[in-house]
Amino acid sequence: MDPILTVHGGLIAVTCFFFHSRLAIQDLSPMGHQPMVSLCGRFCISFNGEIYNFRDLSAELLSLGIALRGHSDTEVILEYIAHFGLEKALKCVIGMFAFSLYDRNTERLYLVRDRIGEKPLYWFFRPGKACICLGD
């Protein structure tokens, strides 16, 4: 597990913490484990679902010289987001999914579902406390 740490005035405060239990289909190696942090270290993702066109997106990233660590659709969408931005990535991705994405630079948490909403995304927020759950 990788707690997302941010330095504020010399003190370290945990701003976001992901837990993940995964049904591994694409990449059974440790390179497919989640939560996953992007190569640049900016983004952290907890992903549930399947990206149908991840091989095409992976080939596009490789053609740009972006070397992937593993073979999972999670890593492909994460690196696609890191390289092209969340908005463009969501326009290019085909699949069924729900994920939470934390941006360390902006300290924003994004909760995302596929266009049809096939994968559930449950969340609860109370000022000062938050609980988010992705699940089947």
Side-chain angles (χ1 to χ4, degrees):
M1 282 182 264
D2 178 22
I4 310 303
L5 302 177
T6 305
V7 177
H8 294 285
L11 300 174
I12 297 176
V14 175
T15 56
C16 187
F17 201 91
F18 286 172
F19 295 94
H20 189 92
S21 179
R22 174 177 179 240
L23 170 62
I25 296 173
Q26 294 295 339
D27 186 346
L28 306 179
S29 78
M31 296 291 101
H33 290 178
Q34 294 186 51
M36 188 179 289
V37 177
S38 62
L39 289 167
C40 65
R42 178 177 177 178
F43 298 100
C44 182
I45 195 169
S46 179
F47 176 86
N48 178 30
E50 184 178 355
I51 304 300
Y52 305 136
N53 64 333
F54 86 97
R55 286 187 177 86
D56 294 333
L57 300 176
S58 175
E60 183 178 353
L61 291 171
L62 292 172
S63 75
L64 297 171
I66 300 168
L68 301 173
R69 298 168 282 198
H71 305 285
S72 71
D73 53 354
T74 303
E75 182 181 17
V76 170
I77 191 169
L78 178 62
E79 295 306 329
Y80 209 87
I81 291 166
H83 190 76
F84 295 107
L86 181 58
E87 189 174 331
K88 179 177 179 183
L90 292 176
K91 288 178 181 175
C92 296
V93 169
I94 300 168
M96 60 171 186
F97 54 86
F99 64 86
S100 54
L101 177 78
Y102 184 72
D103 183 335
R104 289 175 164 173
N105 289 1
T106 64
E107 295 186 352
R108 288 186 178 206
L109 178 66
Y110 297 90
L111 304 177
V112 180
R113 289 177 75 188
D114 62 79
R115 292 169 191 86
I116 299 171
E118 188 169 344
K119 287 294 183 181
L121 172 65
Y122 303 104
W123 62 275
F124 167 79
F125 177 78
R126 194 170 78 202
K129 297 181 181 183
C131 178
I132 298 158
C133 177
L134 305 169
D136 275 329

